[in-house]
Amino acid sequence: MTSTLPCDEVKPTCRNCSKHAVDCTYSLPSGGSPAQSQTSEKASPQATTHASFPSSDLAVHDLELLHHFSTSTAYTFSRHPALQTFWRIDAPQVGFGAHYTLRAMLAISALHMAYLRPAQRQFYVSQAERHHNVALKFVTSNMTQLMSENSSAVFLFSVLTSFFSCAQPRKLDDLLLFQQGRISEWLVLFRGAGTIVEYAQEELRSGPLAALLSIRQRRSDYRDTLSTQGQFFMNDLEELVREEVKDQRELQIYLGAIQELRVSFALWSDTGAWETGDVFVWLLRVSEEFLTLLREQRHVALVIFGYFCPLLRRLEWMWWLEGWSVHLLSRIHGLLNQEHRTWIQWPMEQLGWRP
């Protein structure tokens, strides 16, 4: 409460304020210095209030990023109204209880700002990298403990990291899934998200991520009911693989990856809005053995990955995936020999890309 009577400015507390048992606007804080007292005497009540919250204590850029996440970036992960609400409202609330998840949101928001404001691109990219590097270092060194404490936050961090990795500025030789001869850290985390759902399914499905997981599960169930028959382009690919690969174990690895692609391609004729799960599910379901062969840049594995590119194109209405399909296919084309380049003719035609 503040006094409605004029303050007589007597120190340390004016008589009017003392009589009415209210906080005196001009009272000297405990331990205040004479210099502070002089400043208070000269300043207006409004200026004094502002002095209590000096601008140096406010991470203004971070507040800007959080505001942008909720008002803009949150709408770029899905066209489903319920999922947009989740990202806009529920996700930040999860982040307030887990700084690493909140930092992941700020990081992807910063990259979105860099995309929208090219003139300030480098500033926002550096903000993004700062937030994400701190979060990633913390999560990777404390994963087991974090899983038991807040599996929802860890799951959300894993998903956001996959978005962040796709949104980062691309390098010419970027294969998305691999860095410096090993599987990218984001893909390890992303595939780990599937394990998190199994590990803490009850907690996740009854917590703040319930809507997100429920919608994804319904979409997944729908996709799994669709027929994979009539996919002549996949039949041709499978025939080529069977003719070339004589090692039975390796052949089964490739056929498993092809089958998972068939399930995703079952939605091919669906002209509605595709969700990230419709495409990225392939990265969750392919075997570790296939990823190893892909990391080794085996030609057949690269060709199969090439067939993933037209699926990825379906998501390029999202700014953070823009241009990835052609970038990946051109990179794959460059790694293949002349014979195997003919194997990716169908993906090339679908993307309208020629070397």
Side-chain angles (χ1 to χ4, degrees):
M1 177 178 178
T2 57
S3 173
T4 57
L5 296 173
C7 179
D8 59 22
E9 300 187 27
V10 173
K11 303 294 183 257
T13 304
C14 77
R15 286 183 293 271
N16 282 337
C17 293
S18 180
K19 178 180 178 181
H20 291 274
V22 298
D23 294 330
C24 179
T25 304
Y26 291 94
S27 62
L28 181 64
S30 176
S33 67
Q36 289 173 319
S37 175
Q38 292 170 8
T39 302
S40 297
E41 289 175 24
K42 295 177 182 177
S44 67
Q46 182 180 14
T48 305
T49 302
H50 287 169
S52 301
F53 302 96
S55 60
S56 60
D57 289 348
L58 283 175
V60 177
H61 292 305
D62 294 344
L63 296 177
E64 177 191 36
L65 294 177
L66 183 59
H67 175 264
H68 184 77
F69 183 89
S70 293
T71 59
S72 183
T73 309
Y75 292 95
T76 67
F77 302 143
S78 173
R79 284 176 171 159
H80 195 295
L83 291 180
Q84 290 178 340
T85 298
F86 166 80
W87 287 112
R88 187 169 57 87
I89 304 295
D90 302 306
Q93 290 176 344
V94 172
F96 293 143
H99 69 87
Y100 51 91
T101 303
L102 186 61
R103 281 188 181 274
M105 292 177 204
L106 298 182
I108 190 69
S109 178
L111 289 183
H112 193 204
M113 295 281 275
Y115 173 82
L116 295 173
R117 301 179 182 179
Q120 297 169 274
R121 181 175 180 271
Q122 191 51 52
F123 169 76
Y124 285 114
V125 168
S126 65
Q127 292 285 303
E129 291 174 346
R130 176 175 64 86
H131 279 300
H132 196 262
N133 288 341
V134 171
L136 187 62
K137 184 176 180 181
F138 180 80
V139 171
T140 52
S141 59
N142 297 280
M143 177 64 84
T144 303
Q145 180 184 347
L146 296 176
M147 276 286 293
S148 61
E149 290 177 352
N150 196 341
S151 56
S152 293
V154 177
F155 177 88
L156 207 53
F157 174 80
S158 301
V159 173
L160 286 163
T161 294
S162 67
F163 296 169
F164 176 85
S165 299
C166 293
Q168 278 186 302
R170 281 191 296 270
K171 297 177 182 176
L172 189 62
D173 62 347
D174 198 340
L175 256 178
L176 183 63
L177 308 185
F178 306 97
Q179 289 176 335
Q180 299 172 344
R182 58 189 177 86
I183 295 176
S184 297
E185 210 151 26
W186 79 265
L187 183 57
V188 174
L189 282 169
F190 182 70
R191 284 169 66 86
T195 305
I196 294 171
V197 174
E198 295 175 8
Y199 172 83
Q201 188 173 91
E202 187 174 336
E203 177 190 340
L204 292 175
R205 296 192 184 283
S206 60
L209 271 63
L212 172 69
L213 294 176
S214 176
I215 291 169
R216 286 192 170 195
Q217 187 60 54
R218 288 200 298 271
R219 186 69 173 173
S220 177
D221 291 343
Y222 167 68
R223 183 182 61 249
D224 290 344
T225 63
L226 298 176
S227 172
T228 60
Q229 300 300 312
Q231 298 178 356
F232 302 111
F233 53 96
M234 294 303 294
N235 294 342
D236 293 342
L237 173 62
E238 183 171 325
E239 184 178 345
L240 288 168
V241 172
R242 286 183 180 276
E243 287 178 358
E244 172 156 326
V245 182
K246 302 307 178 186
D247 182 283
Q248 284 303 303
R249 182 173 176 278
E250 188 174 339
L251 176 61
Q252 292 308 311
I253 293 170
Y254 290 139
L255 294 180
I258 290 173
Q259 178 56 33
E260 292 298 344
L261 272 180
R262 286 184 182 275
V263 175
S264 293
F265 273 116
L267 284 171
W268 190 245
S269 59
D270 188 341
T271 56
W274 281 41
E275 295 292 330
T276 51
D278 298 331
V279 173
F280 277 44
V281 66
W282 184 72
L283 298 177
L284 284 176
R285 291 185 174 181
V286 291
S287 66
E288 289 289 337
E289 292 84 357
F290 175 77
L291 290 177
T292 298
L293 294 171
L294 188 54
R295 178 174 56 80
E296 294 172 356
Q297 299 184 0
R298 302 284 187 93
H299 287 159
V300 173
L302 286 168
V303 167
I304 293 172
F305 188 33
Y307 274 70
F308 174 72
C309 295
L311 290 171
L312 199 57
R313 169 63 71 87
R314 294 294 180 101
L315 296 178
E316 288 195 22
W317 63 268
M318 301 176 183
W319 65 274
W320 49 279
L321 282 171
E322 194 174 283
W324 263 113
S325 59
V326 167
H327 174 87
L328 283 177
L329 194 61
S330 63
R331 179 80 181 104
I332 290 166
H333 183 275
L335 293 171
L336 295 174
N337 59 25
Q338 196 60 44
E339 177 192 350
H340 288 93
R341 285 175 180 175
T342 64
W343 289 27
I344 59 170
Q345 186 62 35
W346 186 83
M348 288 166 57
E349 290 172 356
Q350 296 306 307
L351 300 184
W353 177 79
R354 296 180 65 183

